[in-house]
Amino acid sequence: MSLLNRRFIIALPLLVLAACGFQPVYGPGGTGTALQNAVQVDAPNDAYSYTLVREIETRLGRAASPRYALALTVDTSEEGLAIDSEDNTTRYNLVGKVDFALRNLSSGQIEVSGNVENFTGYSATGSTVATLAAERDAQKRLMVMLADQLVTRLYAADLAP
């Protein structure tokens, strides 16, 4: 295979990405740049939403003069997974769902909305203190995962500059 053919084959994926409208998130005019320090997130009303809002603000920054408002509804549930011979639940799944809507503050129009869902688990086989620590850690992990998913969905949105 000639050197020119190898170069063409290596460059082909980049040409395909350029043809499909690929634009870097943090490039000029990218969604990441448009959202950075521009989103006012609803105030949290419980421990779950507090952690979620903190994680979102870590990724997007805290807006001094917001262009967008992000409304969140957090719903969580706990499912027992493993039961031992003495009828004690020894493993739990923590399931979370966040409904969101990003609204343009100048036009009042909802730019993007939807929901993200995920789950994590923790063990309840140790002492009471260890189980509580595992549960709190699972709650934080779940909110981090949901924040990552939500911010990724926002970055994928087609926001007008």
Side-chain angles (χ1 to χ4, degrees):
M1 192 186 282
S2 75
L3 183 61
L4 183 60
N5 285 343
R6 282 189 214 144
R7 288 183 184 162
F8 178 75
I9 289 173
I10 292 171
L12 186 61
L14 295 175
L15 294 172
V16 170
L17 283 176
C20 75
F22 172 76
Q23 182 177 3
V25 170
Y26 291 109
T31 308
T33 306
L35 292 174
Q36 195 65 38
N37 298 318
V39 178
Q40 176 183 326
V41 185
D42 280 357
N45 56 8
D46 62 9
Y48 288 109
S49 59
Y50 172 80
T51 305
L52 181 67
V53 168
R54 186 185 70 211
E55 293 297 325
I56 291 170
E57 287 180 345
T58 298
R59 287 153 182 74
L60 297 178
R62 184 173 279 190
S65 56
R67 291 190 304 265
Y68 301 99
L70 181 62
L72 303 171
T73 304
V74 180
D75 184 32
T76 59
S77 63
E78 192 172 78
E79 302 171 347
L81 291 180
I83 300 174
D84 64 13
S85 60
E86 296 173 3
D87 207 26
N88 297 317
T89 305
T90 59
R91 183 131 185 103
Y92 291 93
N93 257 3
L94 190 58
V95 181
K97 178 181 177 183
V98 177
D99 295 314
F100 66 92
L102 183 71
R103 184 172 44 90
N104 186 317
L105 290 175
S106 61
S107 69
Q109 177 182 354
I110 302 230
E111 299 285 343
V112 62
S113 65
N115 64 58
V116 292
E117 298 179 56
N118 217 321
F119 73 95
T120 189
Y122 68 94
S123 175
T125 57
S127 68
T128 303
V129 173
T131 299
L132 288 173
E135 182 180 8
R136 276 192 228 111
D137 184 61
Q139 292 168 352
K140 183 178 185 303
R141 283 193 322 267
L142 179 63
M143 292 302 118
V144 167
M145 289 186 291
L146 291 170
D148 285 341
Q149 286 179 280
L150 193 149
V151 170
T152 300
R153 291 277 301 276
L154 294 178
Y155 284 161
D158 186 22
L159 298 177

